[in-house]
């Protein structure tokens, strides 16, 4: 069984993966639209478009519960736009953009917590990198440098944690420009 976590990019993949698996293996979908991997108080979807995601998957509460309940063999994480837009974290009133010191430090802390969960259940995490979505239109945070910054974080986790594996997905698609 595979648990898929992610934002709308993950939701699309979990549906496609379930159809393609056709009974070969089970897909448990836990992707939630407008939810990044990390816990946030809000994301900034554009000028003046602050959004407080209501029910995102909590890496310390929901992921272990789902792994145990469904006897999960692997977790697949697929995050696109929600890791490329500015984020505001609990107990922090500043906005953080992909690649900034605050963004990277917070993501490192959150991944360390997730890795503890993965180790407890002996389950790997496969993270798909993010695609360049309409890079010519930066209204929604699709700037190539933010995609590159998020993908660099994924590459670092693949390097630093035995439980985390990077899988090319977004890099299959060319960077426009």
């Amino acid at each position: 069984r595979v648990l898929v976590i992610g934002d709308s990019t993950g939701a699309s993949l979990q549906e496609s993966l379930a159809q393609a698996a056709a009974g070969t293996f089970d897909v448990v979908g836990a992707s939630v639209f407008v939810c990044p991997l990390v816990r946030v108080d809000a994301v900034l979807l554009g000028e003046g478009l602050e959004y407080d995601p209501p029910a995102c998957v909590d890496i310390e509460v929901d992921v272990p519960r789902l792994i145990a309940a469904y006897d999960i063999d692997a977790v697949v994480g697929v995050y696109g736009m929600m890791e490329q837009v500015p984020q505001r974290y609990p107990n922090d009133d500043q906005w953080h953009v992909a690649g900034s010191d605050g963004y990277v430090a917070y993501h490192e802390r959150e991944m360390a917590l997730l890795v503890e969960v993965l180790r407890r259940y002996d389950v790997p995490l496969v993270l798909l990198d993010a695609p360049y979505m309409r890079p010519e239109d930066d209204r929604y945070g699709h700037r190539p440098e933010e995609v590159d910054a998020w993908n660099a974080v994924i590459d670092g986790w693949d390097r630093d944690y035995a439980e985390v594996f990077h899988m090319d997905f977004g890099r299959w698609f060319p960077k426009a420009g």
Side-chain angles (χ1 to χ4, degrees):
R1 289 196 175 127
V2 175
L3 171 65
V4 179
I5 57 176
D7 58 11
S8 59
T9 309
S12 297
L13 180 79
Q14 74 193 24
E15 183 178 326
S16 299
L17 188 59
Q19 290 174 5
T24 306
F25 59 90
D26 296 325
V27 176
V28 177
S31 296
V32 181
F33 286 75
V34 195
C35 286
L37 170 66
V38 299
R39 294 170 283 191
V40 297
D41 281 345
V43 292
L44 191 60
L45 300 176
E47 186 79 28
L49 295 173
E50 183 176 323
Y51 182 75
D52 176 12
C56 296
V57 173
D58 186 299
I59 59 176
E60 283 191 295
V61 177
D62 299 317
V63 171
R65 179 182 54 78
L66 291 165
I67 289 173
Y70 293 99
D71 192 26
I72 297 299
D73 297 301
V75 177
V76 175
V78 188
Y79 295 89
M81 182 176 150
M82 291 306 105
E83 284 296 348
Q84 300 163 32
V85 297
Q87 301 173 342
R88 194 176 65 228
Y89 308 128
N91 304 311
D92 183 351
D93 60 355
Q94 300 296 310
W95 288 103
H96 300 278
V97 297
S100 70
D101 291 343
Y103 176 99
V104 172
Y106 186 74
H107 279 71
E108 291 300 328
R109 288 192 302 273
E110 291 283 283
M111 181 52 70
L113 296 171
L114 180 54
V115 166
E116 286 180 27
V117 170
L118 299 170
R119 287 178 179 158
R120 190 174 337 137
Y121 292 94
D122 194 28
V123 172
L125 171 64
V126 178
L127 281 171
L128 279 64
D129 61 10
Y132 297 96
M133 302 164 54
R134 295 181 286 159
E136 71 283 352
D137 180 1
D138 69 0
R139 287 179 298 168
Y140 302 108
H142 297 141
R143 292 179 287 274
E145 62 273 11
E146 292 168 349
V147 178
D148 292 339
W150 168 234
N151 287 339
V153 170
I154 293 171
D155 290 340
W157 291 335
D158 176 59
R159 180 187 61 245
D160 296 341
Y161 294 106
E163 299 80 6
V164 179
F165 302 90
H166 161 250
M167 182 175 166
D168 281 341
F169 170 66
R171 294 173 190 167
W172 290 347
F173 305 101
K175 190 187 310 187

